Amino acid sequence: MDGSATFPDVTLAILAGGQGTRLGGAAKGLLTVEGRTTLERLLALGSHFADVVLVANAPEPYARFGARTVADAVKGKGAPGGVHAALGAARTPWVFAVACDMPFVTEAAARVVLDARAEDVDAVCFEREGRCEPLLAAYRAGLVARWGEALAEDPSMRRVLLRFRTRTLPEAALRAVDPQLRALANVNTPEDLVRYGVTLPAR
């Protein structure tokens, strides 16, 4: 582990997510923003962390990046399954989870989350408009067994988080370092491509 990392006890977990069906089946990590793929932008953020893992059930599009890659241990569970895979793959006590279609995550945004950890907290995430934001969030890696048990219920992320000691942060805490909440932006639709200046990968 990299002792010089900003967050030496945290693994950055990048979740490759679904099939990008609303974007014509594009691999979301290959979407391009300001000349770099979203995955490249997030991997660059990895220099602040002790380790990086990419959770991808279809890793072939991302092989050229050389990231340590794992698949979901429990298939078909969406984001809860992806976080579970990250917890199981972590070599550190904590995991910071983001989605590969979130091109504007910054070290400052990660710090807001990670500084809110405490001995009596298992997970930290932002709450926006009454909903938790589970991908720009920190999770204690030791949750992996209980998290896996929760997957049997096919739960939403919110239901999983209710099982644990979850600290929710107001969006104002993020706005202090990210006034437009760009770190929470994800690219899911053609409208998002226009909104965030994102281009699809070449076929």
Side-chain angles (χ1 to χ4, degrees):
M1 295 180 190
D2 184 356
S4 65
T6 311
F7 309 114
D9 61 340
V10 186
T11 295
L12 173 65
I14 305 169
L15 277 60
Q19 302 301 311
T21 52
R22 288 180 286 180
L23 296 174
K28 289 185 177 182
L30 301 183
L31 298 171
T32 301
V33 183
E34 299 168 357
R36 288 192 299 169
T37 66
T38 53
L39 182 56
E40 284 175 302
R41 294 168 69 93
L42 291 168
L43 289 173
L45 187 68
S47 63
H48 296 285
F49 294 83
D51 196 14
V52 180
V53 64
L54 174 67
V55 180
N57 292 322
E60 295 80 11
Y62 307 118
R64 63 186 168 97
F65 297 101
R68 182 166 71 96
T69 305
V70 300
D72 288 353
V74 183
K75 305 294 186 187
K77 300 297 184 180
V83 171
H84 174 252
L87 298 178
R91 298 166 176 165
T92 56
W94 285 87
V95 168
F96 183 71
V98 299
C100 74
D101 61 359
M102 298 173 71
F104 306 115
V105 177
T106 62
E107 184 267 340
R111 184 180 295 279
V112 174
V113 174
L114 293 168
D115 282 354
R117 293 175 294 161
E119 286 294 322
D120 61 347
V121 171
D122 294 320
V124 182
C125 64
F126 291 106
E127 186 172 358
R128 180 169 58 164
E129 297 174 357
R131 297 182 60 184
C132 66
E133 295 283 352
L135 298 180
L136 192 71
Y139 301 97
R140 198 180 288 277
L143 300 178
V144 60
R146 287 185 293 154
W147 195 289
E149 293 166 3
L151 292 181
E153 300 175 7
D154 211 12
S156 65
M157 283 293 298
R158 185 176 184 84
R159 283 181 58 194
V160 177
L161 289 172
L162 285 173
R163 288 174 168 250
F164 304 115
R165 300 172 298 175
T166 300
R167 171 173 289 175
T168 56
L169 304 176
E171 68 175 57
L174 179 57
R175 285 191 188 277
V177 299
D178 180 6
Q180 296 180 315
L181 302 180
R182 281 168 64 83
L184 292 174
N186 57 5
V187 183
N188 283 312
T189 67
E191 292 76 18
D192 292 335
L193 297 176
V194 176
R195 181 179 301 122
Y196 300 120
V198 179
T199 55
L200 290 169
R203 293 288 182 178

